[in-house]
Amino acid sequence: YHGSTLMSHQLIIITVLCLPFVAQSSGTAIVDNWLPIAALALGTTAIGHTLMLYSFKFFSVTTASIISSMQPIYGIILGILFLNEIPSINTIIGGVIILTTVGIESFRSYVK
């Protein structure tokens, strides 16, 4: 299936499942922050999901999944750049483990 089709199905299912909880929230935070929320949804979720599914044409599912595990690294970098958050030592160690795993798997898939 095309990535956009899968994303549409997921969006419909999640919307239906979350609909009962909409009445419990005021919605003020969403109305006040709709532009950043929309940018985050499109930039990281919709486009990222579609590109990941597209990458299955070029990489094995295992390799693409391991490479996608770099998402926390991107989040840490964005937190440093935009929120001035300094990660703890545990976060840095976790990031190094993720980068090492991705590097090893990238090398293994390149050698094959």
Side-chain angles (χ1 to χ4, degrees):
Y1 295 98
H2 193 269
S4 299
T5 304
L6 291 173
M7 181 62 78
S8 298
H9 290 151
Q10 289 176 1
L11 178 66
I12 291 167
I13 292 169
I14 292 300
T15 301
V16 169
L17 291 175
C18 290
L19 207 52
F21 302 102
V22 171
Q24 295 177 358
S25 69
S26 67
T28 307
I30 293 175
V31 172
D32 293 342
N33 298 303
W34 73 270
L35 187 58
I37 291 171
L40 186 64
L42 288 174
T44 61
T45 305
I47 294 172
H49 183 269
T50 302
L51 290 174
M52 182 181 164
L53 292 176
Y54 184 71
S55 73
F56 292 157
K57 292 182 180 180
F58 305 102
F59 298 105
S60 70
V61 173
T62 303
T63 301
S65 295
I66 290 174
I67 292 171
S68 75
S69 68
M70 288 194 49
Q71 287 178 342
I73 303 296
Y74 303 142
I76 293 168
I77 293 169
L78 291 173
I80 292 169
L81 293 176
F82 295 112
L83 303 174
N84 294 322
E85 288 187 6
I86 305 301
S88 69
I89 190 68
N90 289 340
T91 303
I92 293 171
I93 291 170
V96 168
I97 291 170
I98 291 170
L99 289 174
T100 302
T101 305
V102 169
I104 290 169
E105 183 58 30
S106 297
F107 179 75
R108 282 187 41 206
S109 66
Y110 180 74
V111 172
K112 287 182 183 179

XYZ file of all heavy atoms in Angstrom:
847
model
N 0.836 -1.180 0.000
C 0.000 0.000 0.000
C 0.882 1.244 0.000
O 1.975 1.240 0.562
C -0.899 0.012 1.228
C -1.890 -1.116 1.245
C -1.643 -2.267 1.973
C -3.067 -1.034 0.516
C -2.546 -3.307 1.992
C -3.979 -2.065 0.527
C -3.718 -3.205 1.266
O -4.622 -4.219 1.277
N 0.376 2.308 -0.574
C 1.088 3.574 -0.591
C 1.081 4.169 0.815
O 0.119 4.000 1.566
C 0.411 4.521 -1.583
C 1.240 5.722 -1.884
N 1.140 6.878 -1.165
C 2.194 5.932 -2.825
C 1.995 7.762 -1.641
N 2.643 7.214 -2.651
N 2.154 4.863 1.175
C 2.292 5.436 2.509
C 1.163 6.381 2.870
O 0.687 6.402 4.013
N 0.710 7.180 1.910
C -0.385 8.122 2.181
C -1.688 7.394 2.481
O -2.480 7.835 3.326
C -0.579 9.057 0.985
O 0.583 9.801 0.759
N -1.915 6.275 1.823
C -3.120 5.482 2.076
C -3.089 4.918 3.498
O -4.090 4.989 4.224
C -3.236 4.329 1.063
O -3.211 4.874 -0.253
C -4.497 3.524 1.272
N -1.948 4.369 3.893
C -1.820 3.834 5.245
C -1.995 4.927 6.287
O -2.660 4.731 7.313
C -0.462 3.157 5.413
C -0.262 1.869 4.627
C 1.167 1.384 4.747
C -1.220 0.796 5.092
N -1.388 6.093 6.035
C -1.514 7.207 6.976
C -2.973 7.657 7.087
O -3.448 7.965 8.180
C -0.636 8.367 6.539
C -0.692 9.558 7.473
S -0.108 9.224 9.141
C 1.635 9.259 8.882
N -3.690 7.670 5.977
C -5.109 8.062 6.007
C -5.928 7.085 6.833
O -6.783 7.493 7.637
C -5.673 8.136 4.589
O -5.000 9.106 3.844
N -5.690 5.793 6.652
C -6.413 4.786 7.434
C -6.114 4.941 8.921
O -7.023 4.852 9.759
C -6.056 3.379 6.967
C -6.603 3.052 5.614
N -5.984 2.177 4.770
C -7.691 3.498 4.948
C -6.674 2.085 3.650
N -7.715 2.891 3.734
N -4.845 5.167 9.248
C -4.482 5.351 10.657
C -5.149 6.596 11.234
O -5.637 6.577 12.368
C -2.967 5.455 10.801
C -2.260 4.157 10.560
C -0.746 4.308 10.621
O -0.222 5.381 10.867
N -0.035 3.217 10.386
N -5.181 7.668 10.457
C -5.799 8.908 10.916
C -7.285 8.721 11.201
O -7.803 9.177 12.224
C -5.601 10.009 9.875
C -6.239 11.354 10.188
C -5.582 11.990 11.402
C -6.133 12.274 8.997
N -7.973 8.019 10.324
C -9.405 7.779 10.514
C -9.653 6.943 11.761
O -10.534 7.253 12.582
C -10.017 7.111 9.255
C -10.025 8.103 8.089
C -11.419 6.592 9.534
C -10.308 7.475 6.741
N -8.887 5.879 11.942
C -9.071 4.998 13.103
C -8.776 5.744 14.400
O -9.554 5.670 15.368
C -8.192 3.734 12.969
C -8.714 2.866 11.821
C -8.156 2.954 14.275
C -7.781 1.742 11.420
N -7.680 6.489 14.451
C -7.331 7.234 15.664
C -8.369 8.315 15.960
O -8.728 8.546 17.118
C -5.923 7.856 15.521
C -4.865 6.754 15.506
C -5.635 8.850 16.624
C -4.824 5.898 16.750
N -8.871 8.966 14.922
C -9.903 9.993 15.124
C -11.147 9.387 15.751
O -11.705 9.942 16.707
C -10.258 10.665 13.779
O -9.080 11.261 13.234
C -11.324 11.717 13.959
N -11.575 8.251 15.241
C -12.769 7.597 15.787
C -12.530 7.162 17.237
O -13.396 7.334 18.097
C -13.180 6.383 14.907
C -14.234 5.535 15.582
C -13.652 6.870 13.546
N -11.340 6.631 17.523
C -11.054 6.172 18.880
C -10.917 7.327 19.873
O -11.258 7.181 21.054
C -9.768 5.324 18.895
C -9.866 3.967 18.208
C -8.500 3.282 18.184
C -10.890 3.079 18.899
N -10.432 8.469 19.430
C -10.227 9.611 20.328
C -11.444 10.520 20.442
O -11.497 11.368 21.327
C -9.013 10.428 19.866
S -7.456 9.575 20.104
N -12.403 10.363 19.562
C -13.580 11.226 19.548
C -14.321 11.286 20.888
O -14.741 12.372 21.310
C -14.526 10.782 18.432
C -15.430 11.834 17.838
C -14.649 13.055 17.401
C -16.196 11.253 16.669
N -14.467 10.177 21.620
C -15.171 10.266 22.910
C -14.468 11.168 23.925
O -15.108 11.685 24.841
C -15.201 8.819 23.416
C -15.032 7.983 22.205
C -14.181 8.791 21.267
N -13.175 11.392 23.783
C -12.431 12.183 24.747
C -12.402 13.673 24.417
O -11.942 14.473 25.221
C -10.998 11.654 24.863
C -10.944 10.211 25.268
C -10.704 9.229 24.320
C -11.166 9.830 26.578
C -10.662 7.888 24.680
C -11.141 8.498 26.953
C -10.883 7.523 25.999
N -12.878 14.043 23.241
C -12.856 15.436 22.822
C -13.745 16.292 23.725
O -13.401 17.427 24.069
C -13.284 15.574 21.344
C -13.477 17.022 20.950
C -12.263 14.916 20.444
N -14.872 15.773 24.136
C -15.798 16.529 24.975
C -15.207 16.835 26.349
O -15.630 17.787 27.002
C -17.101 15.761 25.123
N -14.227 16.074 26.773
C -13.636 16.262 28.096
C -12.593 17.370 28.125
O -12.212 17.826 29.192
C -13.010 14.959 28.581
C -14.016 13.869 28.794
C -13.362 12.561 29.202
O -12.156 12.465 29.298
N -14.177 11.545 29.441
N -12.104 17.810 26.959
C -11.077 18.847 26.945
C -11.679 20.168 26.482
O -12.664 20.205 25.765
C -9.930 18.436 26.021
O -10.358 18.460 24.687
N -11.027 21.259 26.910
C -11.545 22.577 26.540
C -11.166 22.942 25.111
O -11.863 23.697 24.458
C -11.014 23.638 27.499
O -9.612 23.780 27.339
N -10.066 22.435 24.624
C -9.642 22.723 23.257
C -8.933 24.054 23.112
O -8.500 24.410 22.019
N -8.801 24.808 24.191
C -8.155 26.117 24.127
C -6.705 26.002 23.704
O -6.223 26.800 22.891
C -8.248 26.821 25.500
O -9.594 26.834 25.920
C -7.718 28.231 25.420
N -5.995 25.030 24.240
C -4.577 24.872 23.894
C -4.409 24.562 22.414
O -3.477 25.061 21.775
C -3.957 23.767 24.741
N -5.294 23.777 21.856
C -5.194 23.444 20.434
C -5.511 24.661 19.577
O -4.819 24.941 18.608
C -6.114 22.255 20.091
C -5.603 20.996 20.785
C -6.185 22.044 18.583
C -6.473 19.796 20.635
N -6.525 25.412 19.941
C -6.888 26.613 19.178
C -5.762 27.640 19.227
O -5.417 28.254 18.215
C -8.212 27.213 19.708
C -8.495 28.559 19.068
C -9.356 26.254 19.466
N -5.160 27.817 20.402
C -4.088 28.805 20.557
C -2.803 28.394 19.851
O -1.995 29.250 19.476
C -3.791 29.039 22.038
C -4.949 29.714 22.763
O -5.814 30.306 22.073
O -4.990 29.638 24.008
N -2.584 27.099 19.680
C -1.324 26.603 19.117
C -1.516 25.795 17.849
O -0.731 24.895 17.565
C -0.603 25.740 20.164
C -0.248 26.517 21.387
O 0.445 27.514 21.301
N -0.734 26.071 22.537
N -2.516 26.094 17.061
C -2.839 25.268 15.896
C -1.712 25.253 14.860
O -1.455 24.221 14.251
C -4.155 25.694 15.271
C -4.077 26.996 14.528
C -4.300 28.238 15.033
C -3.729 27.173 13.168
N -4.111 29.182 14.073
C -3.752 28.558 12.909
C -3.401 26.307 12.129
C -3.462 29.087 11.659
C -3.111 26.848 10.889
C -3.141 28.214 10.659
N -1.032 26.362 14.649
C 0.018 26.394 13.635
C 1.213 25.506 14.019
O 1.648 24.677 13.206
C 0.454 27.822 13.350
C 1.426 27.990 12.193
C 0.846 27.452 10.893
C 1.797 29.457 12.030
N 1.765 25.627 15.243
C 2.862 24.714 15.604
C 2.441 23.245 15.612
O 3.207 22.367 15.228
C 3.276 25.162 17.008
C 2.779 26.545 17.146
C 1.569 26.641 16.277
N 1.200 22.981 16.029
C 0.718 21.595 16.049
C 0.613 21.056 14.626
O 1.013 19.922 14.343
C -0.632 21.493 16.789
C -0.428 21.751 18.280
C -1.273 20.127 16.568
C -1.708 21.879 19.076
N 0.089 21.861 13.707
C -0.026 21.435 12.312
C 1.356 21.224 11.688
O 1.576 20.246 10.968
C -0.814 22.463 11.507
N 2.293 22.120 11.973
C 3.653 21.970 11.443
C 4.309 20.705 11.989
O 4.974 19.966 11.253
C 4.492 23.201 11.787
N 4.126 20.451 13.262
C 4.680 19.245 13.876
C 4.045 17.998 13.282
O 4.741 17.025 12.963
C 4.457 19.286 15.391
C 5.086 18.175 16.214
C 6.598 18.245 16.114
C 4.651 18.287 17.651
N 2.738 18.020 13.093
C 2.040 16.860 12.536
C 2.494 16.580 11.111
O 2.762 15.434 10.747
C 0.535 17.092 12.577
N 2.597 17.618 10.297
C 3.017 17.417 8.911
C 4.502 17.109 8.810
O 4.906 16.196 8.103
C 2.689 18.658 8.072
C 1.218 18.870 7.775
C 1.021 20.200 7.066
C 0.675 17.742 6.926
N 5.308 17.880 9.516
C 6.759 17.746 9.381
C 7.338 16.472 9.934
O 8.260 15.898 9.368
N 6.819 16.020 11.047
C 7.424 14.841 11.662
C 6.609 13.574 11.472
O 7.171 12.502 11.316
C 7.631 15.060 13.169
O 6.362 15.293 13.781
C 8.537 16.233 13.426
N 5.307 13.692 11.486
C 4.487 12.485 11.435
C 4.125 12.098 10.013
O 4.494 11.010 9.549
C 3.211 12.675 12.278
O 3.598 13.058 13.594
C 2.421 11.392 12.341
N 3.427 12.943 9.309
C 2.926 12.579 7.980
C 4.064 12.373 6.981
O 4.140 11.334 6.331
C 1.965 13.652 7.473
N 4.941 13.338 6.882
C 6.038 13.221 5.917
C 7.014 12.133 6.348
O 7.458 11.322 5.528
C 6.745 14.580 5.746
C 5.784 15.581 5.090
C 8.015 14.438 4.919
C 6.294 17.003 5.053
N 7.328 12.098 7.640
C 8.258 11.073 8.132
C 7.733 9.665 7.921
O 8.474 8.768 7.501
N 6.471 9.449 8.180
C 5.860 8.127 8.004
C 5.876 7.726 6.530
O 6.232 6.603 6.180
C 4.425 8.161 8.538
C 3.727 6.847 8.475
N 2.968 6.459 7.403
C 3.673 5.830 9.358
C 2.475 5.260 7.620
N 2.881 4.853 8.802
N 5.519 8.657 5.659
C 5.489 8.369 4.227
C 6.889 8.070 3.705
O 7.084 7.116 2.937
C 4.871 9.555 3.459
O 3.557 9.791 3.979
C 4.777 9.265 1.977
N 7.873 8.841 4.130
C 9.250 8.600 3.686
C 9.791 7.270 4.211
O 10.526 6.574 3.516
C 10.160 9.750 4.114
C 9.939 11.067 3.379
C 10.810 12.164 3.991
C 10.232 10.920 1.892
N 9.411 6.924 5.443
C 9.869 5.641 5.979
C 9.309 4.484 5.158
O 10.025 3.548 4.814
C 9.475 5.485 7.436
C 9.973 4.183 8.025
S 9.482 4.018 9.725
C 9.759 2.283 9.969
N 8.020 4.536 4.841
C 7.432 3.475 4.028
C 8.055 3.436 2.630
O 8.267 2.369 2.067
C 5.925 3.652 3.937
C 5.165 3.423 5.242
C 3.687 3.710 5.059
C 5.379 2.022 5.765
N 8.368 4.600 2.089
C 9.011 4.668 0.779
C 10.424 4.071 0.829
O 10.884 3.479 -0.142
C 9.056 6.120 0.303
C 9.624 6.288 -1.077
C 8.912 5.866 -2.197
C 10.860 6.876 -1.271
C 9.433 6.019 -3.467
C 11.390 7.031 -2.534
C 10.672 6.610 -3.631
O 11.192 6.756 -4.888
N 11.088 4.197 1.972
C 12.455 3.677 2.093
C 12.491 2.151 2.029
O 13.546 1.572 1.769
C 13.100 4.161 3.394
O 12.548 3.499 4.509
N 11.342 1.491 2.244
C 11.323 0.032 2.163
C 11.669 -0.464 0.760
O 12.019 -1.623 0.584
C 9.971 -0.533 2.590
C 9.674 -0.362 4.061
C 8.372 -0.361 4.512
C 10.683 -0.208 4.993
C 8.078 -0.219 5.854
C 10.405 -0.059 6.338
C 9.095 -0.066 6.764
N 11.560 0.399 -0.236
C 11.961 0.018 -1.592
C 13.467 -0.112 -1.714
O 13.964 -0.807 -2.595
C 11.466 1.054 -2.604
C 9.973 1.096 -2.778
C 9.589 2.114 -3.829
C 8.093 2.159 -4.013
N 7.693 3.135 -5.038
N 14.196 0.586 -0.857
C 15.646 0.643 -0.972
C 16.378 -0.093 0.132
O 17.534 -0.454 -0.034
C 16.104 2.114 -0.985
C 15.423 2.928 -2.049
C 14.386 3.771 -1.727
C 15.802 2.812 -3.378
C 13.749 4.517 -2.706
C 15.169 3.552 -4.360
C 14.143 4.403 -4.017
N 15.734 -0.293 1.271
C 16.350 -0.973 2.406
C 15.455 -2.109 2.846
O 14.255 -2.109 2.583
C 16.520 -0.018 3.604
C 17.417 1.149 3.344
C 16.880 2.408 3.145
C 18.787 1.006 3.307
C 17.686 3.501 2.905
C 19.604 2.088 3.078
C 19.059 3.335 2.872
N 16.039 -3.049 3.576
C 15.209 -4.095 4.171
C 14.383 -3.462 5.292
O 14.710 -2.382 5.797
C 16.080 -5.213 4.738
O 16.776 -4.765 5.887
N 13.321 -4.126 5.676
C 12.457 -3.604 6.740
C 13.256 -3.472 8.031
O 13.105 -2.494 8.769
C 11.224 -4.512 6.923
C 10.408 -4.088 8.116
C 10.376 -4.525 5.663
N 14.129 -4.425 8.307
C 14.948 -4.374 9.515
C 15.840 -3.146 9.513
O 15.914 -2.411 10.498
C 15.808 -5.647 9.633
O 14.953 -6.784 9.612
C 16.632 -5.634 10.895
N 16.524 -2.904 8.407
C 17.419 -1.763 8.317
C 16.655 -0.449 8.439
O 17.059 0.449 9.179
C 18.185 -1.795 6.979
O 18.920 -3.019 6.897
C 19.141 -0.630 6.858
N 15.540 -0.331 7.743
C 14.743 0.895 7.811
C 14.204 1.130 9.220
O 14.153 2.271 9.686
C 13.600 0.828 6.802
N 13.826 0.070 9.910
C 13.310 0.219 11.275
C 14.398 0.678 12.228
O 14.159 1.521 13.097
C 12.716 -1.095 11.762
O 11.599 -1.429 10.989
N 15.591 0.130 12.064
C 16.696 0.548 12.936
C 17.069 1.998 12.655
O 17.306 2.782 13.577
C 17.899 -0.399 12.779
C 17.556 -1.756 13.396
C 19.140 0.187 13.426
C 18.586 -2.819 13.200
N 17.105 2.373 11.390
C 17.421 3.761 11.048
C 16.337 4.696 11.582
O 16.627 5.798 12.050
C 17.616 3.908 9.526
C 18.886 3.168 9.108
C 17.683 5.368 9.120
C 19.080 3.064 7.610
N 15.075 4.262 11.557
C 13.990 5.106 12.074
C 14.090 5.293 13.582
O 13.484 6.219 14.134
C 12.632 4.523 11.708
O 12.348 3.403 12.508
N 14.850 4.432 14.239
C 15.014 4.588 15.685
C 15.831 5.835 16.027
O 15.998 6.162 17.197
C 15.672 3.345 16.292
O 17.014 3.240 15.863
N 16.296 6.551 15.015
C 17.022 7.801 15.260
C 16.085 8.962 15.572
O 16.546 10.059 15.879
C 17.900 8.143 14.058
C 19.098 7.224 13.958
S 20.351 7.782 12.834
C 20.617 9.452 13.282
N 14.793 8.739 15.543
C 13.849 9.808 15.846
C 14.092 10.453 17.209
O 13.997 11.672 17.328
C 12.413 9.312 15.727
C 11.989 9.100 14.295
C 10.581 8.558 14.187
O 10.023 8.031 15.141
N 9.993 8.683 13.009
N 14.417 9.685 18.258
C 14.719 10.357 19.530
C 15.925 11.295 19.423
O 15.959 12.334 20.074
C 15.010 9.209 20.499
C 14.342 8.030 19.905
C 14.378 8.232 18.424
N 16.894 10.940 18.594
C 18.064 11.800 18.404
C 17.631 13.127 17.791
O 18.070 14.197 18.229
C 19.119 11.113 17.505
C 19.541 9.766 18.085
C 20.312 12.025 17.271
C 20.236 9.837 19.405
N 16.758 13.061 16.789
C 16.254 14.292 16.186
C 15.513 15.133 17.217
O 15.643 16.359 17.254
C 15.310 13.995 15.013
C 15.902 13.147 13.923
C 15.137 12.189 13.269
C 17.237 13.281 13.536
C 15.666 11.410 12.260
C 17.779 12.498 12.536
C 16.986 11.564 11.898
O 17.506 10.791 10.906
N 14.731 14.483 18.065
C 14.000 15.196 19.116
C 14.935 15.877 20.103
O 14.695 17.014 20.527
N 16.009 15.185 20.459
C 16.991 15.767 21.374
C 17.655 16.988 20.737
O 17.794 18.040 21.370
C 18.049 14.711 21.774
C 17.409 13.617 22.630
C 19.216 15.364 22.509
C 18.288 12.400 22.825
N 18.039 16.852 19.478
C 18.687 17.970 18.780
C 17.741 19.157 18.659
O 18.134 20.310 18.894
C 19.210 17.510 17.400
C 20.356 16.519 17.586
C 19.656 18.698 16.558
C 20.782 15.806 16.323
N 16.476 18.903 18.316
C 15.501 19.988 18.223
C 15.259 20.626 19.587
O 15.080 21.843 19.689
C 14.192 19.482 17.622
C 14.244 19.095 16.143
C 12.931 18.461 15.709
C 14.572 20.297 15.280
N 15.257 19.823 20.642
C 15.113 20.370 21.992
C 16.266 21.273 22.372
O 16.079 22.316 23.002
N 17.479 20.876 21.967
C 18.647 21.717 22.239
C 18.549 23.023 21.458
O 18.779 24.109 22.004
C 19.946 20.965 21.883
C 20.167 19.792 22.841
C 21.147 21.914 21.917
C 21.270 18.840 22.411
N 18.199 22.932 20.182
C 18.190 24.106 19.317
C 17.058 25.082 19.637
O 17.276 26.303 19.677
C 18.094 23.680 17.849
C 19.293 22.932 17.282
C 19.014 22.481 15.854
C 20.539 23.801 17.335
N 15.854 24.571 19.837
C 14.696 25.445 19.958
C 14.243 25.698 21.396
O 13.605 26.711 21.675
C 13.519 24.897 19.148
C 13.781 24.893 17.679
C 13.911 23.701 16.992
C 13.925 26.079 16.979
C 14.157 23.682 15.633
C 14.182 26.080 15.617
C 14.298 24.880 14.937
N 14.535 24.793 22.297
C 14.055 24.931 23.669
C 15.180 25.178 24.668
O 14.929 25.312 25.862
C 13.269 23.683 24.080
C 12.073 23.323 23.200
C 11.476 22.003 23.634
C 11.045 24.440 23.222
N 16.419 25.182 24.187
C 17.598 25.371 25.046
C 17.653 24.356 26.177
O 18.072 24.672 27.287
C 17.646 26.791 25.603
C 17.863 27.810 24.515
O 18.619 27.572 23.575
N 17.189 28.943 24.616
N 17.193 23.130 25.906
C 17.246 22.067 26.903
C 18.570 21.320 26.762
O 18.968 20.941 25.665
C 16.096 21.079 26.708
C 14.769 21.619 27.103
C 13.690 20.555 27.067
O 14.007 19.366 26.844
O 12.523 20.918 27.253
N 19.228 21.120 27.853
C 20.473 20.356 27.861
C 20.135 18.936 28.319
O 19.584 18.742 29.399
C 21.510 20.992 28.820
C 21.737 22.454 28.468
C 22.808 20.193 28.795
C 22.243 22.694 27.054
N 20.450 17.927 27.478
C 20.099 16.547 27.852
C 20.947 16.050 29.018
O 22.104 16.458 29.193
C 20.385 15.750 26.577
C 21.305 16.597 25.777
C 21.067 18.009 26.170
N 20.358 15.150 29.804
C 21.087 14.548 30.924
C 22.105 13.544 30.378
O 22.076 13.167 29.212
C 20.110 13.842 31.871
O 19.565 12.697 31.233
N 22.973 13.088 31.235
C 24.005 12.126 30.836
C 23.372 10.817 30.372
O 23.854 10.190 29.418
C 25.030 11.885 31.970
C 26.233 11.068 31.463
C 24.392 11.220 33.156
C 27.093 11.802 30.481
N 22.269 10.408 31.001
C 21.576 9.181 30.581
C 21.024 9.328 29.163
O 21.054 8.378 28.375
C 20.449 8.832 31.542
C 20.960 8.343 32.871
O 22.106 7.911 32.991
N 20.126 8.420 33.892
N 20.507 10.510 28.846
C 19.989 10.764 27.505
C 21.113 10.718 26.482
O 20.957 10.160 25.394
C 19.278 12.132 27.461
O 18.247 12.145 28.446
C 18.687 12.404 26.098
N 22.251 11.290 26.830
C 23.409 11.275 25.921
C 23.903 9.851 25.707
O 24.199 9.447 24.571
C 24.525 12.189 26.463
C 24.057 13.647 26.423
C 25.817 11.999 25.674
C 24.974 14.620 27.111
N 23.968 9.066 26.769
C 24.397 7.661 26.636
C 23.419 6.897 25.750
O 23.825 6.125 24.873
C 24.533 6.995 28.028
C 25.719 7.594 28.780
C 24.684 5.469 27.900
C 25.796 7.185 30.241
N 22.121 7.106 25.939
C 21.118 6.458 25.094
C 21.273 6.869 23.638
O 21.157 6.039 22.725
N 21.543 8.150 23.408
C 21.763 8.630 22.040
C 22.979 7.998 21.392
O 22.949 7.634 20.209
N 24.041 7.835 22.165
C 25.250 7.191 21.637
C 24.970 5.730 21.290
O 25.423 5.225 20.258
C 26.420 7.313 22.648
C 27.590 6.426 22.270
C 26.865 8.765 22.755
N 24.194 5.047 22.118
C 23.835 3.649 21.834
C 23.021 3.566 20.545
O 23.269 2.710 19.685
C 23.073 3.026 23.021
C 24.008 2.856 24.212
C 22.448 1.690 22.634
C 23.314 2.486 25.508
N 22.066 4.479 20.390
C 21.245 4.485 19.172
C 22.116 4.757 17.946
O 22.025 4.054 16.931
C 20.113 5.520 19.282
C 19.089 5.077 20.323
C 19.441 5.738 17.937
C 18.065 6.142 20.671
N 22.967 5.774 18.016
C 23.826 6.107 16.874
C 24.784 4.972 16.530
O 25.035 4.695 15.352
C 24.612 7.391 17.163
C 23.787 8.671 17.165
C 24.658 9.852 17.603
C 23.199 8.928 15.796
N 25.310 4.291 17.544
C 26.199 3.159 17.300
C 25.451 2.032 16.591
O 25.954 1.455 15.615
C 26.783 2.644 18.637
O 27.467 3.732 19.273
C 27.739 1.492 18.408
N 24.252 1.733 17.062
C 23.450 0.680 16.434
C 23.114 1.020 14.992
O 23.230 0.182 14.094
C 22.144 0.462 17.233
O 22.473 0.195 18.588
C 21.340 -0.672 16.661
N 22.715 2.254 14.759
C 22.387 2.681 13.396
C 23.621 2.619 12.511
O 23.559 2.165 11.361
C 21.775 4.102 13.403
C 21.684 4.671 12.004
C 20.413 4.076 14.058
N 24.762 3.043 13.026
C 26.007 2.989 12.244
C 26.397 1.561 11.881
O 26.756 1.280 10.733
N 26.301 0.660 12.842
C 26.643 -0.744 12.584
C 25.703 -1.341 11.550
O 26.124 -2.019 10.595
C 26.618 -1.561 13.890
C 27.783 -1.153 14.794
C 26.666 -3.062 13.606
C 27.704 -1.693 16.208
N 24.391 -1.096 11.690
C 23.425 -1.649 10.759
C 23.579 -1.040 9.369
O 23.440 -1.728 8.357
C 21.991 -1.451 11.260
C 20.946 -2.052 10.373
C 21.104 -3.549 10.142
O 21.614 -4.260 11.029
O 20.720 -4.031 9.053
N 23.880 0.247 9.304
C 24.109 0.883 7.992
C 25.319 0.273 7.306
O 25.297 0.010 6.105
C 24.311 2.386 8.164
O 23.168 2.987 8.690
N 26.376 0.037 8.071
C 27.570 -0.579 7.517
C 27.274 -1.999 7.054
O 27.683 -2.411 5.953
C 28.692 -0.581 8.555
C 29.955 -1.224 8.066
C 30.774 -0.576 7.170
C 30.309 -2.494 8.506
C 31.933 -1.175 6.709
C 31.456 -3.097 8.054
C 32.289 -2.436 7.145
N 26.527 -2.754 7.863
C 26.187 -4.136 7.485
C 25.366 -4.183 6.213
O 25.570 -5.037 5.361
C 25.406 -4.810 8.614
C 26.280 -5.262 9.762
C 25.520 -6.074 10.782
N 24.608 -6.996 10.112
C 23.497 -7.465 10.643
N 23.116 -7.075 11.832
N 22.733 -8.309 9.983
N 24.406 -3.265 6.066
C 23.561 -3.283 4.859
C 24.342 -2.793 3.641
O 24.056 -3.203 2.525
C 22.320 -2.427 5.067
O 22.651 -1.071 5.195
N 25.340 -1.947 3.854
C 26.161 -1.469 2.737
C 27.096 -2.565 2.243
O 27.314 -2.707 1.047
C 26.977 -0.234 3.176
C 27.851 0.307 2.085
C 27.298 1.020 1.021
C 29.222 0.112 2.114
C 28.095 1.529 0.011
C 30.026 0.618 1.107
C 29.459 1.322 0.064
O 30.245 1.828 -0.930
N 27.619 -3.388 3.153
C 28.559 -4.454 2.790
C 27.869 -5.573 2.044
O 28.446 -6.208 1.177
C 29.259 -4.999 4.080
C 30.086 -6.228 3.789
C 30.112 -3.907 4.702
N 26.592 -5.817 2.327
C 25.864 -6.925 1.678
C 25.795 -6.743 0.236
O 25.724 -6.287 -0.648
C 24.458 -7.040 2.249
C 24.458 -7.605 3.628
C 23.045 -7.748 4.136
C 23.041 -8.244 5.554
N 21.725 -8.371 6.094
